[in-house]
Amino acid sequence: QVQLQESGGGSVQSGGSLKLSCAASGDTRCMAWFRQAPGKEREVVADMRMDGSSTYTDSVKGRFTISRGPGILYLQMNSLKPEDTAMYYCAADDLFVGPGGKAHCGGTRYWGQGTQVTVSS
């Protein structure tokens, strides 16, 4: 039972930076940023697991950084490119009880409304 609200999107020139924020309530131990460009499938951009580890899709490695504070998730985006243009979504997973009764990410997924990022040449 999670509520998410993204902010920080906008229009920037190629090479610029934006910092997205996701205000979150509820269980936010399993968090991620997704994006969906026109005509393309939604893809994961960066994720942060409950142990604090994070991963990134290859196209944004070295440019984007996911982080979190109390009740908030961030995505710092540097060296933006036109191909980064997309609607960006914050997501959180409920915990899933896996083998041996251990808790894992992967239960019900919750989505924010999205924030638009547009990068021009």
Side-chain angles (χ1 to χ4, degrees):
Q1 310 306 121
V2 177
Q3 292 182 302
L4 307 168
Q5 179 63 61
E6 304 95 333
S7 62
S11 298
V12 298
Q13 294 288 313
S14 181
S17 297
L18 285 173
K19 188 173 185 178
L20 306 184
S21 298
C22 174
S25 62
D27 189 343
T28 59
R29 287 174 286 178
C30 307
M31 303 289 294
W33 286 98
F34 287 75
R35 68 184 180 187
Q36 187 168 22
K40 295 186 177 180
E41 297 294 318
R42 189 172 297 185
E43 64 171 344
V44 62
V45 177
D47 66 65
M48 178 170 286
R49 316 307 284 181
M50 70 177 80
D51 65 0
S53 64
S54 59
T55 59
Y56 302 87
T57 191
D58 286 344
S59 63
V60 308
K61 279 187 174 179
R63 300 188 297 119
F64 291 11
T65 303
I66 189 171
S67 62
R68 64 181 168 194
I72 192 163
L73 182 74
Y74 300 104
L75 184 67
Q76 178 66 52
M77 305 185 294
N78 298 325
S79 302
L80 284 162
K81 305 174 181 180
E83 50 263 46
D84 294 318
T85 295
M87 183 72 75
Y88 283 71
Y89 298 90
C90 179
D93 289 353
D94 280 346
L95 295 180
F96 172 81
V97 180
K102 299 295 184 180
H104 305 269
C105 300
T108 301
R109 177 161 291 166
Y110 302 89
W111 297 95
Q113 293 292 98
T115 186
Q116 179 67 40
V117 171
T118 302
V119 186
S120 59
S121 299

